[in-house]
Amino acid sequence: MSDRWMSDDQHQQARQRLLERVVTETRETGRSTGLDELSGRVMQAMATVPRHRFVPPEQCEWAYADRPLPIGRGQTISQPFIVALMTELLALGPEDVVLEIGTGSGYQTAVLASLARQVYSLERIPELADAATQRLQELGFANVAVRAGDGCLGWEEQAPFDGIMVTAAAATVPEALVRQLKPGGRLVIPVGPPQWTQDLQVLDKDEQGRVHVRSVLPVVFVPLISNFG
Ligand code: SAM
């Protein structure tokens, strides 16, 4: 069924069914991820953000399927289960300031913005950054700033961050991102070669500034491309 045939109620029901699928998948992967369930806040964000507004018109009929979809320029909007999982792993509080690398469609940005005080998001491809900015504005997300640029360098002027999420596969964790994380903060990032599965990692920076790394799940992401090699 295409978007134009679906009412707001039908979209909401589709989101609810998707959420049930995501909840099941969270439980099924719990042994590996250490998370058996999603928090109420993440469930609420997933139940509210209209994913159909973040996909191209020709993909609308799949907007509430639990899978990634093409968004143009060879990029993808992430699978909803992965969006929920990565968001949960970030464990955001309502006063937190977050940096996201890889805005893409802006869907993950919107989920983060529903949970945190402020989200800064960097996207390498200017056309995607512009489209996401417009979409997020139309949907009323006032606590988001999107900028076109190389996310491997982070966003120095707005650092430090309570949480950083990278939504593209990094060969290694960019040093600038670790530096721009607050003590007590958390970085969620897929690490590994782009042509294979990567390792979804959580890096916790403790109050002394030491970093503790935990592997969570094999994942597949498009590559994080740095202009600086
Ligand atoms: N989270 C997005 C969403 O919900 O639509 C999906 C992100 S997509 C899987 C990865 C994005 O990272 C792409 O849009 C890509 O252009 C972007 N990207 C890749 N390398 C980047 C870099 N160095 N800095 C910023 N963005 C980058």
Side-chain angles (χ1 to χ4, degrees):
M1 202 187 297
S2 90
D3 175 47
R4 66 201 148 113
W5 306 117
M6 282 178 79
S7 64
D8 286 351
D9 271 359
Q10 285 171 312
H11 281 129
Q12 205 177 341
Q13 285 161 17
R15 269 198 300 282
Q16 205 50 48
R17 284 193 296 276
L18 170 62
L19 191 52
E20 283 161 21
R21 170 87 206 109
V22 168
V23 165
T24 303
E25 221 168 329
T26 303
R27 201 171 41 241
E28 286 172 355
T29 52
R31 194 181 285 236
S32 169
T33 63
L35 282 174
D36 286 329
E37 54 184 30
L38 298 173
S39 63
R41 295 184 77 229
V42 171
M43 297 259 281
Q44 177 66 22
M46 295 295 294
T48 313
V49 176
R51 193 171 190 254
H52 64 281
R53 297 284 301 271
F54 292 85
V55 302
E58 67 277 13
Q59 298 294 338
C60 244
E61 95 179 85
W62 312 111
Y64 293 106
D66 187 27
R67 54 159 130 142
L69 296 170
I71 56 169
R73 302 295 309 262
Q75 304 305 321
T76 53
I77 177 173
S78 305
Q79 178 189 356
F81 162 63
I82 295 294
V83 170
L85 174 67
M86 290 176 74
T87 306
E88 191 68 57
L89 289 168
L90 218 44
L92 293 173
E95 288 306 313
D96 284 354
V97 178
V98 186
L99 175 67
E100 179 194 31
I101 308 302
T103 320
S105 69
Y107 173 66
Q108 172 76 78
T109 323
V111 171
L112 295 172
S114 307
L115 295 165
R117 179 160 62 82
Q118 177 70 39
V119 181
Y120 295 95
S121 186
L122 284 163
E123 168 56 52
R124 190 179 69 89
I125 301 174
E127 294 91 315
L128 293 182
D130 290 347
T133 301
Q134 191 179 337
R135 211 171 274 138
L136 289 159
Q137 269 170 9
E138 280 167 11
L139 289 169
F141 287 96
N143 59 339
V144 173
V146 177
R147 195 171 82 176
D150 182 0
C152 296
L153 305 176
W155 195 322
E156 194 72 59
E157 309 91 289
Q158 304 298 344
F161 302 98
D162 299 288
I164 301 180
M165 180 183 290
V166 181
T167 66
T172 56
V173 178
E175 269 176 39
L177 299 186
V178 178
R179 220 175 32 247
Q180 291 177 21
L181 195 60
K182 267 187 198 165
R186 210 167 255 194
L187 166 58
V188 176
I189 181 169
V191 181
Q195 61 275 43
W196 304 100
T197 58
Q198 303 98 34
D199 187 24
L200 184 61
Q201 296 186 351
V202 178
L203 281 74
D204 278 292
K205 191 187 245 190
D206 67 22
E207 295 299 335
Q208 286 69 43
R210 287 179 305 236
V211 174
H212 307 269
V213 183
R214 178 162 69 92
S215 284
V216 173
L217 201 69
V219 288
V220 178
F221 273 87
V222 295
L224 183 72
I225 299 171
S226 176
N227 300 333
F228 296 90

